[in-house]
Amino acid sequence: MDHSTPAGKFIVIEGLEGAGKSSAIALVKQFLTELNQAEPVCTREPGGTPLAEKIRTLVKEVNHDDPLCDEAECLLMYAARAQLVANVIKPALANGRWVLGDRHNLSSLAYQGGGRGMLPLVQAISAATLKGFKPDLTLYLDIPPKVGLARAANRGALDRIEQQAIDFFERARNTYLTLANADDTIEVIDASQPMDAVHRDILSALQRRLTA
Ligand code: Z5A
């Protein structure tokens, strides 16, 4: 590593199904590219390395003969994340690249911690796996589950996690909001607004956080 190269920053977009992460990521990617005169490295979770993409397939598919138990689901999310952090995110940051993540650790805390009711276990696995590594900035796109799921329903067949009952997503949302309140690296964006208003709020948060 060249020690004169300043480390890059890790920016993450989070939110429930249908929150609008796809268009938010395109917007943030463009902002970061103009800010740094270089495209960020884009990642998605679970996934983003060959091994982690295999795990993504495992956690998304429905297997009636061998249903994934909650603990295995959680450990698979962290196995995928450990690979991605070690082999993609940390090397990119060390080389001065910025990294833009479609989901990261907050998803596990919200879905497996809040949704599955295993927050202490998830926090323990998170601490052991990531050892304090975390994004510089997370934009959490907040949306009531009913609104988000209605938007997502227009996209076709639902995967295994998308098929959870609405109260699973309510618990996940409450956990997102509780954790965001306690962490000033997380910005809450009201994603129930029309898309142009959501994008205006995202750009204003980026200006405030990254260019001040
Ligand atoms: N998961 C987990 O449990 N634990 C973990 O640790 C991690 C993940 C990392 C990943 O699925 C699943 O894994 C996810 C969480 C879980 N499952 N669930 N539920 P994924 O990567 O396949 O899916 P996703 O990340 O949830 O969704 P997405 O498709 O990438 O993005 P999105 O935010 O859900 O939706 P979108 O495609 O951006 O927007 C949906 C539609 O709404 C689309 O037609 C838009 O045009 C429309 N839209 C967006 N914004 C608006 C506004 N403002 N107004 C009106 N319409 C809008």
Side-chain angles (χ1 to χ4, degrees):
M1 174 187 144
D2 174 359
H3 290 280
S4 63
T5 307
K9 290 193 175 183
F10 182 26
I11 314 296
V12 170
I13 311 298
E14 287 276 359
L16 293 181
E17 274 295 280
K21 288 191 307 302
S22 309
S23 63
I25 284 163
L27 182 76
V28 176
K29 183 177 177 185
Q30 187 188 349
F31 180 94
L32 296 181
T33 302
E34 283 166 17
L35 182 71
N36 299 316
Q37 299 299 304
E39 280 197 4
V41 173
C42 293
T43 64
R44 70 170 182 181
E45 296 195 30
T49 80
L51 191 150
E53 287 294 321
K54 287 183 187 162
I55 294 175
R56 180 182 178 88
T57 304
L58 290 176
V59 297
K60 285 180 79 102
E61 71 190 5
V62 178
N63 186 340
H64 293 294
D65 297 331
D66 186 16
L68 197 57
C69 72
D70 293 351
E71 290 78 8
E73 176 186 81
C74 181
L75 290 165
L76 286 170
M77 294 294 180
Y78 278 96
R81 181 163 304 125
Q83 282 296 115
L84 182 69
V85 170
N87 293 345
V88 176
I89 298 177
K90 282 189 172 173
L93 295 174
N95 280 327
R97 300 286 304 275
W98 284 48
V99 178
L100 174 57
D102 179 349
R103 299 189 178 281
H104 185 62
N105 196 37
L106 200 55
S107 285
S108 295
L109 295 164
Y111 285 80
Q112 282 66 51
R116 304 277 186 226
M118 309 193 299
L119 193 54
L121 174 68
V122 181
Q123 284 170 324
I125 297 170
S126 168
T129 311
L130 298 173
K131 302 179 181 71
F133 176 79
K134 64 183 283 200
D136 295 282
L137 174 64
T138 298
L139 301 180
Y140 163 56
L141 307 185
D142 180 53
I143 193 160
K146 272 190 186 150
V147 179
L149 290 170
R151 286 182 191 167
N154 296 327
R155 290 185 309 207
L158 300 180
D159 69 29
R160 191 183 56 83
I161 296 174
E162 290 165 346
Q163 291 172 14
Q164 299 300 307
I166 192 88
D167 57 334
F168 170 88
F169 294 103
E170 296 285 2
R171 289 194 299 274
R173 182 192 188 201
N174 289 339
T175 307
Y176 265 128
L177 287 170
T178 303
L179 295 173
N181 267 336
D183 184 338
D184 65 7
T185 68
I186 303 173
E187 276 271 345
V188 180
I189 305 284
D190 177 1
S192 64
Q193 307 175 88
M195 208 182 279
D196 57 348
V198 175
H199 287 190
R200 179 202 59 210
D201 289 356
I202 289 172
L203 288 175
S204 126
L206 292 173
Q207 292 281 2
R208 191 164 18 88
R209 296 288 195 138
L210 301 178
T211 66

